[in-house]
PDB file of all heavy atoms in Angstrom:
ATOM      1  N   LYS A 260      -6.940  -6.597  -6.749  1.00 93.00           N
ATOM      2  CA  LYS A 260      -7.227  -5.847  -7.972  1.00 93.00           C
ATOM      3  C   LYS A 260      -8.702  -5.469  -8.048  1.00 93.00           C
ATOM      4  O   LYS A 260      -9.040  -4.339  -8.424  1.00 93.00           O
ATOM      5  CB  LYS A 260      -6.818  -6.653  -9.207  1.00 93.00           C
ATOM      6  CG  LYS A 260      -5.322  -6.745  -9.413  1.00 93.00           C
ATOM      7  CD  LYS A 260      -5.002  -7.561 -10.655  1.00 93.00           C
ATOM      8  CE  LYS A 260      -3.520  -7.632 -10.909  1.00 93.00           C
ATOM      9  NZ  LYS A 260      -3.212  -8.326 -12.177  1.00 93.00           N
ATOM     10  N   THR A 264      -9.853  -1.615  -7.999  1.00 95.00           N
ATOM     11  CA  THR A 264     -10.607  -1.135  -9.158  1.00 95.00           C
ATOM     12  C   THR A 264     -11.952  -0.554  -8.719  1.00 95.00           C
ATOM     13  O   THR A 264     -12.367   0.507  -9.200  1.00 95.00           O
ATOM     14  CB  THR A 264     -10.798  -2.262 -10.188  1.00 95.00           C
ATOM     15  OG1 THR A 264      -9.496  -2.671 -10.636  1.00 95.00           O
ATOM     16  CG2 THR A 264     -11.617  -1.805 -11.374  1.00 95.00           C
ATOM     17  N   ILE A 267     -11.316   2.850  -7.121  1.00 94.00           N
ATOM     18  CA  ILE A 267     -11.005   3.860  -8.139  1.00 94.00           C
ATOM     19  C   ILE A 267     -12.267   4.280  -8.879  1.00 94.00           C
ATOM     20  O   ILE A 267     -12.519   5.466  -9.092  1.00 94.00           O
ATOM     21  CB  ILE A 267      -9.936   3.323  -9.122  1.00 94.00           C
ATOM     22  CG1 ILE A 267      -8.593   3.159  -8.400  1.00 94.00           C
ATOM     23  CG2 ILE A 267      -9.793   4.240 -10.333  1.00 94.00           C
ATOM     24  CD1 ILE A 267      -7.585   2.314  -9.162  1.00 94.00           C
ATOM     25  N   VAL A 278      -0.949   5.238  -7.519  1.00 94.00           N
ATOM     26  CA  VAL A 278      -0.740   3.830  -7.202  1.00 94.00           C
ATOM     27  C   VAL A 278       0.727   3.636  -6.844  1.00 94.00           C
ATOM     28  O   VAL A 278       1.618   3.949  -7.639  1.00 94.00           O
ATOM     29  CB  VAL A 278      -1.117   2.909  -8.389  1.00 94.00           C
ATOM     30  CG1 VAL A 278      -0.839   1.444  -8.032  1.00 94.00           C
ATOM     31  CG2 VAL A 278      -2.575   3.110  -8.792  1.00 94.00           C
ATOM     32  N   SER A 288       3.823   3.592  -9.288  1.00 94.00           N
ATOM     33  CA  SER A 288       3.355   3.058 -10.571  1.00 94.00           C
ATOM     34  C   SER A 288       2.485   4.065 -11.300  1.00 94.00           C
ATOM     35  O   SER A 288       2.361   4.010 -12.518  1.00 94.00           O
ATOM     36  CB  SER A 288       2.576   1.762 -10.344  1.00 94.00           C
ATOM     37  OG  SER A 288       3.420   0.791  -9.770  1.00 94.00           O
ATOM     38  N   LEU A 289       1.877   4.979 -10.548  1.00 94.00           N
ATOM     39  CA  LEU A 289       1.093   6.062 -11.138  1.00 94.00           C
ATOM     40  C   LEU A 289       1.135   7.242 -10.181  1.00 94.00           C
ATOM     41  O   LEU A 289       0.771   7.111  -9.014  1.00 94.00           O
ATOM     42  CB  LEU A 289      -0.368   5.631 -11.367  1.00 94.00           C
ATOM     43  CG  LEU A 289      -1.292   6.709 -11.946  1.00 94.00           C
ATOM     44  CD1 LEU A 289      -0.938   6.993 -13.412  1.00 94.00           C
ATOM     45  CD2 LEU A 289      -2.753   6.288 -11.827  1.00 94.00           C
ATOM     46  N   ASP A 294      -7.043  10.564 -14.096  1.00 96.00           N
ATOM     47  CA  ASP A 294      -7.306   9.600 -15.160  1.00 96.00           C
ATOM     48  C   ASP A 294      -7.608   8.221 -14.563  1.00 96.00           C
ATOM     49  O   ASP A 294      -6.712   7.451 -14.232  1.00 96.00           O
ATOM     50  CB  ASP A 294      -6.103   9.534 -16.099  1.00 96.00           C
ATOM     51  CG  ASP A 294      -6.333   8.675 -17.327  1.00 96.00           C
ATOM     52  OD1 ASP A 294      -7.283   7.861 -17.334  1.00 96.00           O
ATOM     53  OD2 ASP A 294      -5.545   8.816 -18.283  1.00 96.00           O
ATOM     54  N   ARG A 295      -8.901   7.911 -14.454  1.00 96.00           N
ATOM     55  CA  ARG A 295      -9.324   6.635 -13.871  1.00 96.00           C
ATOM     56  C   ARG A 295      -8.957   5.450 -14.762  1.00 96.00           C
ATOM     57  O   ARG A 295      -8.629   4.375 -14.263  1.00 96.00           O
ATOM     58  CB  ARG A 295     -10.839   6.624 -13.614  1.00 96.00           C
ATOM     59  CG  ARG A 295     -11.330   7.713 -12.673  1.00 96.00           C
ATOM     60  CD  ARG A 295     -10.585   7.634 -11.341  1.00 96.00           C
ATOM     61  NE  ARG A 295     -11.245   8.410 -10.309  1.00 96.00           N
ATOM     62  CZ  ARG A 295     -10.766   9.535  -9.798  1.00 96.00           C
ATOM     63  NH1 ARG A 295      -9.645  10.043 -10.238  1.00 96.00           N
ATOM     64  NH2 ARG A 295     -11.410  10.160  -8.833  1.00 96.00           N
ATOM     65  N   VAL A 296      -9.014   5.631 -16.070  1.00 96.00           N
ATOM     66  CA  VAL A 296      -8.663   4.551 -16.993  1.00 96.00           C
ATOM     67  C   VAL A 296      -7.194   4.163 -16.794  1.00 96.00           C
ATOM     68  O   VAL A 296      -6.852   2.977 -16.723  1.00 96.00           O
ATOM     69  CB  VAL A 296      -8.955   4.947 -18.462  1.00 96.00           C
ATOM     70  CG1 VAL A 296      -8.430   3.898 -19.432  1.00 96.00           C
ATOM     71  CG2 VAL A 296     -10.449   5.169 -18.661  1.00 96.00           C
ATOM     72  N   ALA A 297      -6.335   5.148 -16.671  1.00 96.00           N
ATOM     73  CA  ALA A 297      -4.905   4.868 -16.447  1.00 96.00           C
ATOM     74  C   ALA A 297      -4.690   4.179 -15.102  1.00 96.00           C
ATOM     75  O   ALA A 297      -3.903   3.235 -15.006  1.00 96.00           O
ATOM     76  CB  ALA A 297      -4.095   6.163 -16.517  1.00 96.00           C
ATOM     77  N   ALA A 298      -5.392   4.636 -14.068  1.00 95.00           N
ATOM     78  CA  ALA A 298      -5.240   4.036 -12.740  1.00 95.00           C
ATOM     79  C   ALA A 298      -5.664   2.569 -12.751  1.00 95.00           C
ATOM     80  O   ALA A 298      -4.970   1.701 -12.209  1.00 95.00           O
ATOM     81  CB  ALA A 298      -6.046   4.820 -11.709  1.00 95.00           C
ATOM     82  N   ILE A 299      -6.785   2.289 -13.378  1.00 96.00           N
ATOM     83  CA  ILE A 299      -7.266   0.905 -13.445  1.00 96.00           C
ATOM     84  C   ILE A 299      -6.322   0.051 -14.280  1.00 96.00           C
ATOM     85  O   ILE A 299      -6.038  -1.103 -13.930  1.00 96.00           O
ATOM     86  CB  ILE A 299      -8.715   0.863 -13.957  1.00 96.00           C
ATOM     87  CG1 ILE A 299      -9.643   1.458 -12.879  1.00 96.00           C
ATOM     88  CG2 ILE A 299      -9.137  -0.555 -14.325  1.00 96.00           C
ATOM     89  CD1 ILE A 299     -11.065   1.696 -13.327  1.00 96.00           C
ATOM     90  N   ALA A 300      -5.774   0.603 -15.355  1.00 97.00           N
ATOM     91  CA  ALA A 300      -4.814  -0.141 -16.181  1.00 97.00           C
ATOM     92  C   ALA A 300      -3.563  -0.495 -15.379  1.00 97.00           C
ATOM     93  O   ALA A 300      -3.036  -1.607 -15.496  1.00 97.00           O
ATOM     94  CB  ALA A 300      -4.450   0.661 -17.430  1.00 97.00           C
ATOM     95  N   VAL A 301      -3.107   0.435 -14.555  1.00 96.00           N
ATOM     96  CA  VAL A 301      -1.939   0.163 -13.717  1.00 96.00           C
ATOM     97  C   VAL A 301      -2.256  -0.957 -12.734  1.00 96.00           C
ATOM     98  O   VAL A 301      -1.474  -1.895 -12.561  1.00 96.00           O
ATOM     99  CB  VAL A 301      -1.469   1.438 -12.974  1.00 96.00           C
ATOM    100  CG1 VAL A 301      -0.480   1.105 -11.876  1.00 96.00           C
ATOM    101  CG2 VAL A 301      -0.852   2.420 -13.957  1.00 96.00           C
ATOM    102  N   VAL A 302      -3.407  -0.879 -12.087  1.00 95.00           N
ATOM    103  CA  VAL A 302      -3.800  -1.927 -11.139  1.00 95.00           C
ATOM    104  C   VAL A 302      -3.874  -3.276 -11.852  1.00 95.00           C
ATOM    105  O   VAL A 302      -3.382  -4.290 -11.348  1.00 95.00           O
ATOM    106  CB  VAL A 302      -5.139  -1.578 -10.455  1.00 95.00           C
ATOM    107  CG1 VAL A 302      -5.706  -2.767  -9.704  1.00 95.00           C
ATOM    108  CG2 VAL A 302      -4.944  -0.392  -9.513  1.00 95.00           C
ATOM    109  N   ASP A 303      -4.480  -3.312 -13.025  1.00 96.00           N
ATOM    110  CA  ASP A 303      -4.605  -4.559 -13.783  1.00 96.00           C
ATOM    111  C   ASP A 303      -3.247  -5.155 -14.146  1.00 96.00           C
ATOM    112  O   ASP A 303      -3.124  -6.373 -14.304  1.00 96.00           O
ATOM    113  CB  ASP A 303      -5.412  -4.345 -15.069  1.00 96.00           C
ATOM    114  CG  ASP A 303      -6.896  -4.230 -14.799  1.00 96.00           C
ATOM    115  OD1 ASP A 303      -7.353  -4.621 -13.705  1.00 96.00           O
ATOM    116  OD2 ASP A 303      -7.610  -3.733 -15.699  1.00 96.00           O
ATOM    117  N   SER A 304      -2.221  -4.304 -14.285  1.00 95.00           N
ATOM    118  CA  SER A 304      -0.898  -4.783 -14.709  1.00 95.00           C
ATOM    119  C   SER A 304      -0.040  -5.302 -13.556  1.00 95.00           C
ATOM    120  O   SER A 304       1.036  -5.849 -13.795  1.00 95.00           O
ATOM    121  CB  SER A 304      -0.145  -3.662 -15.426  1.00 95.00           C
ATOM    122  OG  SER A 304       0.291  -2.681 -14.494  1.00 95.00           O
ATOM    123  N   LEU A 305      -0.484  -5.156 -12.321  1.00 93.00           N
ATOM    124  CA  LEU A 305       0.331  -5.550 -11.171  1.00 93.00           C
ATOM    125  C   LEU A 305       0.513  -7.068 -11.103  1.00 93.00           C
ATOM    126  O   LEU A 305      -0.405  -7.828 -11.398  1.00 93.00           O
ATOM    127  CB  LEU A 305      -0.294  -5.034  -9.875  1.00 93.00           C
ATOM    128  CG  LEU A 305      -0.380  -3.511  -9.741  1.00 93.00           C
ATOM    129  CD1 LEU A 305      -1.110  -3.132  -8.462  1.00 93.00           C
ATOM    130  CD2 LEU A 305       0.994  -2.872  -9.792  1.00 93.00           C
TER     131      LEU A 305
END
Side-chain angles (χ1 to χ4, degrees):
K260 287 180 178 185
T264 298
I267 292 165
V278 178
S288 298
L289 178 71
D294 186 343
R295 301 304 195 250
V296 173
I299 291 170
V301 167
V302 168
D303 284 343
S304 73
L305 297 176

